[in-house]
Structure formats: C-alpha cells, structure tokens
C-alpha cells in the first residue's frame, strides 16, 4: 500500500503522451517553455513558446489547456529531472556529483522563480516537490561531507538557501551568475579540496 508521501508524489508527475510523436511535441514544448520562462518570466509569449518548439499554438493548447497547466508541467518536469539526476550521480566523485547537481538546481530555481506566483496556490504540490528535492539532493551533500570535500557544518537547507540566493538574482550576463555560483560552491567546499 502506498504511503501518503508516495501518493502525493505520484499525483505530481508530468503526464506525457503515449504516442512517440505526441511525446516529442510535448517535450519540445516543455523545453521551450522552460527557456522562455527563465528568460522572460511568467509572461512569456505562448505563441513564441509554440514557435520555438516547432509546433502550432493548437498543439500547445491541446497539451496545456491553460497557461497554469504549462507552468505546472514545466515545474514538475524540473523536479523530476533533479531527482533523476541525483540518482545518476551516485557513482561520481562526491564533490563533482554535488556540484553538478547544485548547478542544475540553479536552473530549477530560476524556473521556479518565474512560475511560482502563477502556481503558488498549490501548496501541496510545492511541499511534495520540496520533499522530492530534499530526498534527491541531501544524500549527495552527506556523501560529500563524509568524504571531507564539503563542509560538515552546513545543512542541506543551508546549501539550498545559498544556491537559491544565486539563482534569484537578476544578473546582467549569464557568465556573472556562473562566477557567483562558483564562489558560493567554494563556500560549501570542505578543507580537503
């Protein structure tokens, strides 16, 4: 029997179409929307998203009847990518695994910032997704701490607050965000790096 957390997690998964061509269009729309929301915020043009995905606006609306449906799908897809990535990084060097995952987290946090106000009404979804992110990322930090390559005096929440601060800032150029993220990651590194 599924526990309450598992039921909530299964309820908040991106539902992709079964047909291969429809799934390709769906995934192209998610990727185009992710980029558009990161670049232009929640008011990004739906017509522009469809064009960038290589589909017509009717295909966008068939997959996402409202802007809110598109926001939720992009957000949930980001969470799924973070969770999957964490699982794929367990064989990597502990610091590299944490750094790669946190760099991807910045992309997630940028998307979340763009769509949060539009979907903030769904507190259960955010709580569930937060639990998924913690379950995915916390072991990476703990493994890096156990290896002595990440500071032992920081919690996973500390790390997320630090990285969220980097992602939430409006940088003039992306290279500046990358430099600031590198400085933040240096602050998480342990003494034996």
């Amino acid at each position: 029997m599924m526990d309450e957390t598992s039921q909530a997690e299964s309820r908040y998964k991106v539902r992709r179409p079964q047909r291969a061509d429809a799934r390709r269009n769906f995934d192209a729309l998610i990727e185009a929307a992710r980029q558009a929301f990161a670049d232009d915020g929640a008011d990004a043009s739906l017509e522009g998203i469809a064009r960038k995905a290589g589909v017509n606006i009717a295909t966008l609306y068939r997959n996402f009847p409202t802007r809110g449906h598109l926001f939720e799908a992009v957000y949930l897809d980001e969470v799924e990518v973070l969770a999957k990535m964490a699982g794929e990084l367990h064989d990597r060097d502990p610091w590299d695994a944490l750094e790669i995952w946190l760099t991807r987290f910045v992309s997630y946090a940028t998307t979340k910032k763009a769509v949060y106000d539009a979907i903030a009404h769904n507190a259960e979804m955010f709580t569930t997704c937060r639990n998924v992110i913690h379950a995915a990322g916390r072991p990476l930090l703990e493994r890096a701490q156990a290896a002595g390559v990440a500071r032992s005096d920081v919690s996973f929440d500390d790390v997320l607050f630090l990285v969220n601060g980097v992602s939430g800032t409006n940088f003039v150029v992306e290279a500046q965000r990358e430099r600031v993220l590198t400085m933040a990651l240096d602050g998480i590194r342990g003494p034996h790096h």
Side-chain angles (χ1 to χ4, degrees), residues 74-89:
V74 169
Y75 177 73
L76 293 173
D77 186 68
E78 283 284 324
V79 171
E80 288 177 15
V81 166
L82 278 171
K84 181 179 179 198
M85 176 183 266
E88 294 169 351
L89 292 171

Side-chain angles (χ1 to χ4, degrees), residues 39-106:
D39 292 345
D40 303 325
D43 295 327
S45 160
L46 295 181
E47 290 82 7
I49 290 169
R51 197 171 30 257
K52 185 171 183 153
V55 301
N56 61 41
I57 194 70
T59 300
L60 183 145
Y61 282 118
R62 188 170 37 257
N63 284 283
F64 310 103
T66 68
R67 185 179 284 267
H69 287 103
L70 182 57
F71 287 148
E72 283 190 15
V74 169
Y75 177 73
L76 293 173
D77 186 68
E78 283 284 324
V79 171
E80 288 177 15
V81 166
L82 278 171
K84 181 179 179 198
M85 176 183 266
E88 294 169 351
L89 292 171
H90 283 290
D91 293 336
R92 300 284 299 257
D93 168 81
W95 177 256
D96 290 346
L98 180 62
E99 183 176 31
I100 290 166
W101 191 84
L102 288 173
T103 300
R104 178 61 186 172
F105 182 85
V106 168

Side-chain angles (χ1 to χ4, degrees), residues 10-180:
S10 67
R11 195 169 39 250
Y12 296 114
K13 293 236 182 246
V14 177
R15 306 276 190 257
R16 286 180 163 72
Q18 294 298 310
R19 281 188 8 240
D21 60 332
R23 193 170 41 253
R24 275 191 304 276
N25 288 342
F26 184 93
D27 290 342
L29 284 164
I30 293 279
E31 188 54 41
R34 175 185 292 116
Q35 190 61 51
F37 295 149
D39 292 345
D40 303 325
D43 295 327
S45 160
L46 295 181
E47 290 82 7
I49 290 169
R51 197 171 30 257
K52 185 171 183 153
V55 301
N56 61 41
I57 194 70
T59 300
L60 183 145
Y61 282 118
R62 188 170 37 257
N63 284 283
F64 310 103
T66 68
R67 185 179 284 267
H69 287 103
L70 182 57
F71 287 148
E72 283 190 15
V74 169
Y75 177 73
L76 293 173
D77 186 68
E78 283 284 324
V79 171
E80 288 177 15
V81 166
L82 278 171
K84 181 179 179 198
M85 176 183 266
E88 294 169 351
L89 292 171
H90 283 290
D91 293 336
R92 300 284 299 257
D93 168 81
W95 177 256
D96 290 346
L98 180 62
E99 183 176 31
I100 290 166
W101 191 84
L102 288 173
T103 300
R104 178 61 186 172
F105 182 85
V106 168
S107 172
Y108 151 80
T110 301
T111 299
K112 180 183 174 192
K113 177 184 171 195
V115 302
Y116 181 79
D117 288 339
I119 57 178
H121 64 277
N122 196 336
E124 181 187 12
M125 180 183 69
F126 279 110
T127 300
T128 299
C129 290
R130 182 181 187 278
N131 292 340
V132 168
I133 289 168
H134 277 249
R138 183 179 290 118
L140 295 173
L141 174 62
E142 291 170 353
R143 195 165 68 94
Q145 288 172 321
V149 293
R151 291 172 51 159
S152 61
D153 63 340
V154 298
S155 70
F156 188 65
D157 279 333
D158 295 338
V159 171
L160 291 187
F161 280 124
L162 180 64
V163 177
N164 264 322
V166 173
S167 63
T169 303
N170 293 322
F171 291 98
V172 177
V173 293
E174 192 58 32
Q176 186 178 29
R177 180 185 313 277
E178 292 169 12
R179 284 193 310 273
V180 173

